[in-house]
mmCIF file of all heavy atoms in Angstrom:
data_model
loop_
_atom_site.group_PDB
_atom_site.id
_atom_site.type_symbol
_atom_site.label_atom_id
_atom_site.label_comp_id
_atom_site.label_asym_id
_atom_site.label_seq_id
_atom_site.Cartn_x
_atom_site.Cartn_y
_atom_site.Cartn_z
ATOM 1 N N SER A 6 12.579 1.949 8.814
ATOM 2 C CA SER A 6 12.416 3.267 8.200
ATOM 3 C C SER A 6 11.608 3.208 6.903
ATOM 4 O O SER A 6 11.640 2.226 6.176
ATOM 5 C CB SER A 6 13.782 3.893 7.940
ATOM 6 O OG SER A 6 14.512 3.102 7.016
ATOM 7 N N VAL A 22 0.351 5.150 2.903
ATOM 8 C CA VAL A 22 -0.340 6.094 2.030
ATOM 9 C C VAL A 22 0.655 7.163 1.589
ATOM 10 O O VAL A 22 1.430 7.666 2.407
ATOM 11 C CB VAL A 22 -1.547 6.723 2.763
ATOM 12 C CG1 VAL A 22 -2.232 7.766 1.896
ATOM 13 C CG2 VAL A 22 -2.527 5.640 3.184
ATOM 14 N N SER A 25 2.949 12.516 -1.030
ATOM 15 C CA SER A 25 3.285 13.288 -2.225
ATOM 16 C C SER A 25 3.594 12.322 -3.360
ATOM 17 O O SER A 25 3.663 11.109 -3.148
ATOM 18 C CB SER A 25 4.461 14.232 -1.959
ATOM 19 O OG SER A 25 5.620 13.501 -1.649
ATOM 20 N N LEU A 38 13.456 -1.552 3.716
ATOM 21 C CA LEU A 38 14.010 -2.135 2.490
ATOM 22 C C LEU A 38 13.826 -1.179 1.319
ATOM 23 O O LEU A 38 12.885 -0.394 1.290
ATOM 24 C CB LEU A 38 13.311 -3.463 2.173
ATOM 25 C CG LEU A 38 13.425 -4.544 3.243
ATOM 26 C CD1 LEU A 38 12.515 -5.714 2.898
ATOM 27 C CD2 LEU A 38 14.866 -5.001 3.383
ATOM 28 N N PHE A 41 11.381 -0.786 -5.710
ATOM 29 C CA PHE A 41 11.238 -0.089 -6.981
ATOM 30 C C PHE A 41 9.768 0.238 -7.213
ATOM 31 O O PHE A 41 8.900 -0.618 -7.024
ATOM 32 C CB PHE A 41 11.761 -0.992 -8.106
ATOM 33 C CG PHE A 41 11.587 -0.436 -9.479
ATOM 34 C CD1 PHE A 41 12.394 0.598 -9.933
ATOM 35 C CD2 PHE A 41 10.624 -0.946 -10.324
ATOM 36 C CE1 PHE A 41 12.242 1.108 -11.208
ATOM 37 C CE2 PHE A 41 10.454 -0.445 -11.609
ATOM 38 C CZ PHE A 41 11.277 0.587 -12.057
ATOM 39 N N LYS A 51 -2.034 4.010 -2.253
ATOM 40 C CA LYS A 51 -1.569 3.058 -1.244
ATOM 41 C C LYS A 51 -0.500 2.146 -1.823
ATOM 42 O O LYS A 51 -0.597 1.727 -2.983
ATOM 43 C CB LYS A 51 -2.746 2.196 -0.755
ATOM 44 C CG LYS A 51 -3.867 2.994 -0.110
ATOM 45 C CD LYS A 51 -5.049 2.116 0.274
ATOM 46 C CE LYS A 51 -5.817 1.515 -0.873
ATOM 47 N NZ LYS A 51 -6.464 2.459 -1.775
ATOM 48 N N LEU A 52 0.498 1.816 -0.985
ATOM 49 C CA LEU A 52 1.515 0.824 -1.319
ATOM 50 C C LEU A 52 1.528 -0.237 -0.223
ATOM 51 O O LEU A 52 1.297 0.076 0.951
ATOM 52 C CB LEU A 52 2.910 1.462 -1.393
ATOM 53 C CG LEU A 52 3.146 2.535 -2.446
ATOM 54 C CD1 LEU A 52 4.555 3.094 -2.299
ATOM 55 C CD2 LEU A 52 2.940 1.973 -3.844
ATOM 56 N N GLY A 60 -6.048 -13.159 -0.368
ATOM 57 C CA GLY A 60 -7.032 -13.510 0.643
ATOM 58 C C GLY A 60 -6.833 -12.817 1.982
ATOM 59 O O GLY A 60 -7.755 -12.764 2.785
ATOM 60 N N VAL A 64 -5.270 -3.722 5.590
ATOM 61 C CA VAL A 64 -5.588 -2.973 6.799
ATOM 62 C C VAL A 64 -5.124 -1.525 6.649
ATOM 63 O O VAL A 64 -3.951 -1.266 6.386
ATOM 64 C CB VAL A 64 -4.938 -3.620 8.041
ATOM 65 C CG1 VAL A 64 -5.305 -2.854 9.306
ATOM 66 C CG2 VAL A 64 -5.358 -5.084 8.154
ATOM 67 N N PHE A 68 -8.121 -0.926 10.440
ATOM 68 C CA PHE A 68 -9.304 -1.725 10.131
ATOM 69 C C PHE A 68 -9.190 -2.331 8.742
ATOM 70 O O PHE A 68 -8.656 -1.701 7.831
ATOM 71 C CB PHE A 68 -10.572 -0.855 10.176
ATOM 72 C CG PHE A 68 -10.869 -0.316 11.540
ATOM 73 C CD1 PHE A 68 -10.480 0.964 11.894
ATOM 74 C CD2 PHE A 68 -11.531 -1.096 12.481
ATOM 75 C CE1 PHE A 68 -10.732 1.466 13.154
ATOM 76 C CE2 PHE A 68 -11.791 -0.608 13.741
ATOM 77 C CZ PHE A 68 -11.393 0.681 14.083
ATOM 78 N N GLY A 71 -10.668 -4.315 2.944
ATOM 79 C CA GLY A 71 -10.887 -5.282 1.889
ATOM 80 C C GLY A 71 -9.884 -6.396 2.035
ATOM 81 O O GLY A 71 -9.248 -6.522 3.082
ATOM 82 N N ALA A 74 -6.872 -9.543 -3.633
ATOM 83 C CA ALA A 74 -7.428 -10.400 -4.676
ATOM 84 C C ALA A 74 -6.350 -11.274 -5.312
ATOM 85 O O ALA A 74 -6.660 -12.258 -5.982
ATOM 86 C CB ALA A 74 -8.113 -9.554 -5.740
ATOM 87 N N GLY A 80 5.744 -2.984 -1.499
ATOM 88 C CA GLY A 80 5.956 -1.838 -2.382
ATOM 89 C C GLY A 80 5.019 -1.735 -3.555
ATOM 90 O O GLY A 80 4.995 -0.725 -4.256
ATOM 91 N N VAL A 83 -1.489 -0.704 -4.269
ATOM 92 C CA VAL A 83 -2.698 -1.402 -3.801
ATOM 93 C C VAL A 83 -3.890 -0.572 -4.255
ATOM 94 O O VAL A 83 -4.060 0.581 -3.847
ATOM 95 C CB VAL A 83 -2.687 -1.573 -2.258
ATOM 96 C CG1 VAL A 83 -3.973 -2.245 -1.786
ATOM 97 C CG2 VAL A 83 -1.463 -2.367 -1.816
ATOM 98 N N TYR A 92 -16.672 -2.974 1.257
ATOM 99 C CA TYR A 92 -17.720 -1.976 1.453
ATOM 100 C C TYR A 92 -18.492 -1.627 0.200
ATOM 101 O O TYR A 92 -19.651 -1.275 0.280
ATOM 102 C CB TYR A 92 -17.116 -0.692 2.040
ATOM 103 C CG TYR A 92 -16.371 -0.986 3.315
ATOM 104 C CD1 TYR A 92 -14.995 -0.931 3.358
ATOM 105 C CD2 TYR A 92 -17.048 -1.367 4.475
ATOM 106 C CE1 TYR A 92 -14.310 -1.240 4.531
ATOM 107 C CE2 TYR A 92 -16.367 -1.675 5.636
ATOM 108 C CZ TYR A 92 -14.999 -1.602 5.659
ATOM 109 O OH TYR A 92 -14.331 -1.912 6.802
ATOM 110 N N GLU A 96 -16.564 -2.071 -10.281
ATOM 111 C CA GLU A 96 -16.511 -2.683 -11.605
ATOM 112 C C GLU A 96 -15.303 -2.120 -12.307
ATOM 113 O O GLU A 96 -15.179 -0.905 -12.485
ATOM 114 C CB GLU A 96 -17.784 -2.362 -12.385
ATOM 115 C CG GLU A 96 -17.815 -3.040 -13.742
ATOM 116 C CD GLU A 96 -19.120 -2.803 -14.463
ATOM 117 O OE1 GLU A 96 -20.170 -2.747 -13.800
ATOM 118 O OE2 GLU A 96 -19.072 -2.645 -15.685
ATOM 119 N N MET A 98 -13.248 -1.508 -15.571
ATOM 120 C CA MET A 98 -13.451 -1.430 -17.019
ATOM 121 C C MET A 98 -12.169 -1.890 -17.698
ATOM 122 O O MET A 98 -11.090 -1.457 -17.327
ATOM 123 C CB MET A 98 -13.783 -0.007 -17.443
ATOM 124 C CG MET A 98 -14.997 0.579 -16.720
ATOM 125 S SD MET A 98 -16.525 -0.299 -17.066
ATOM 126 C CE MET A 98 -16.869 0.330 -18.675
#
Side-chain angles (χ1 to χ4, degrees):
S6 63
V22 177
S25 63
L38 300 171
F41 176 74
K51 299 176 293 298
L52 298 177
V64 182
F68 295 97
V83 178
Y92 304 109
E96 183 176 324
M98 304 297 283

